């Protein structure tokens, strides 16, 4: 069973911030939140992960609510190349057991 | 640049033939994984290996086999016993520790007719 819930699709205007939500109400204390994205016909690409605190890197920001039951991935200035399926995953091994559950994700369409 | 290389990108085989998909990484990662992705679906784990000469079955290992003779290489063989082999196959690797993110190759699309 999927541990996360994401909207199936979202649109965003080019140059605007894209805010992708994820619900993970059953997350346990030692589980991290990971975000990956997959551009059509390519392998998934790691974006960012976090445990409790908000995180930022060169690609995106991750905002995790205080109760950790939901999070938001923020792409600050979306470009056409950000059009992809975005996966939110919770896991306490980071894939070291190979059992990351990739659900259906959110298909983000960035429009000119 | 370090990364994971999967080859070939497209592969066509006749039903009843075994086929081997290549996966090589130069990231010095200990752990490697094979996933299968069907249209509109998430990823399903086939096999994974956390160390050379050792590997474990994932959720859908039937009809597949792997080997891990070198740290850099983790080839996947799709045998004739796999009932629905046509799919997009993804190889990944990571440090195998704690919260190490996965790094993926760009996949091999296998079509069996």
């Amino acid at each position: 069973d999927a541990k996360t819930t994401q909207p199936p699709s979202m649109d965003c205007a080019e140059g605007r911030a894209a805010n992708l939500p994820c619900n993970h109400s059953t997350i346990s204390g030692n589980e991290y939140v990971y975000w990956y994205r997959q551009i059509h016909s390519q392998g998934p690409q790691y974006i960012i992960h976090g445990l409790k605190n908000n995180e930022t890197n060169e690609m995106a920001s991750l905002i995790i609510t205080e109760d950790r039951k939901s999070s938001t991935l923020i792409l600050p200035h979306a470009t056409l190349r950000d059009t992809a399926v975005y996966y939110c995953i919770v896991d306490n091994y980071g894939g070291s057991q190979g059992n990351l559950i990739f659900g259906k994700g959110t298909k983000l369409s960035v429009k000119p | 640049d370090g990364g994971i290389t999967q080859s070939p990108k497209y592969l066509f085989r006749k039903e009843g033939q075994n086929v081997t998909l290549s996966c090589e990484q130069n990231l010095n990662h200990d752990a490697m994984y094979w996933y299968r992705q069907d249209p509109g679906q998430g990823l399903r784990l086939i096999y994974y290996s956390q160390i050379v000469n050792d590997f474990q079955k994932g959720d859908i290992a039937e009809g597949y086999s792997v080997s891990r003779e070198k740290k850099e290489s983790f080839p996947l063989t799709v045998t004739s016993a796999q009932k629905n082999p046509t799919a997009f196959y993804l190889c990944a690797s990571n440090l195998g520790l704690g919260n190490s993110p996965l790094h993926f190759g760009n996949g091999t699309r296998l079509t069996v007719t």
Side-chain angles (χ1 to χ4, degrees):
Chain A
D1 290 338
K3 296 183 180 180
T4 64
T5 303
Q6 299 177 254
S9 64
M10 293 182 63
D11 290 340
C12 178
E14 188 178 18
R16 304 296 296 268
N19 297 282
L20 291 91
C22 180
N23 287 319
H24 30 80
S25 58
T26 60
I27 192 169
S28 61
N30 59 351
E31 286 185 316
Y32 285 76
V33 179
Y34 294 83
W35 283 84
Y36 289 79
R37 72 180 182 184
Q38 187 173 24
I39 296 169
H40 184 61
S41 295
Q42 295 184 20
Q45 177 189 23
Y46 164 76
I47 301 172
I48 198 168
H49 73 283
L51 183 63
K52 295 181 183 178
N53 299 322
N54 298 338
E55 302 288 343
T56 295
N57 63 21
E58 65 278 4
M59 290 182 67
S61 294
L62 173 61
I63 308 297
I64 302 174
T65 57
E66 192 168 344
D67 64 7
R68 303 210 323 123
K69 293 186 177 184
S70 66
S71 60
T72 301
L73 179 74
I74 301 172
L75 307 178
H77 305 286
T79 71
L80 299 179
R81 288 179 296 178
D82 292 322
T83 292
V85 177
Y86 287 76
Y87 297 98
C88 169
I89 301 162
V90 296
D91 188 79
N92 59 358
Y93 290 111
S96 62
Q97 300 299 319
N99 57 353
L100 288 185
I101 299 175
F102 282 76
K104 294 190 177 180
T106 295
K107 184 172 183 178
L108 176 68
S109 297
V110 180
K111 299 183 184 297
Chain B
D1 286 341
I4 298 181
T5 302
Q6 290 187 244
S7 60
K9 187 164 179 65
Y10 299 96
L11 193 53
F12 298 88
R13 280 292 183 271
K14 294 288 187 184
E15 193 173 325
Q17 294 179 331
N18 291 354
V19 59
T20 298
L21 282 60
S22 169
C23 177
E24 303 278 332
Q25 55 99 357
N26 60 4
L27 299 166
N28 200 31
H29 284 169
D30 288 314
M32 298 186 73
Y33 311 83
W34 274 105
Y35 292 89
R36 169 185 172 137
Q37 186 174 35
D38 293 286
Q41 302 297 313
L43 279 64
R44 292 185 289 170
L45 181 66
I46 304 172
Y47 267 99
Y48 65 101
S49 167
Q50 303 220 327
I51 196 169
V52 174
N53 292 324
D54 189 39
F55 47 83
Q56 286 77 40
K57 293 181 179 180
D59 299 323
I60 55 166
E62 186 175 350
Y64 300 98
S65 66
V66 293
S67 63
R68 186 87 187 278
E69 296 177 2
K70 298 187 300 182
K71 186 175 184 177
E72 303 79 19
S73 179
F74 192 40
L76 173 75
T77 297
V78 184
T79 75
S80 56
Q82 167 50 231
K83 292 184 173 54
N84 297 297
T86 294
F88 188 47
Y89 290 88
L90 288 158
C91 180
S93 72
N94 71 355
L95 292 171
L97 302 172
N99 59 3
S100 169
L102 288 170
H103 295 254
F104 284 86
N106 275 329
T108 292
R109 190 167 299 278
L110 173 65
T111 302
V112 177
T113 57

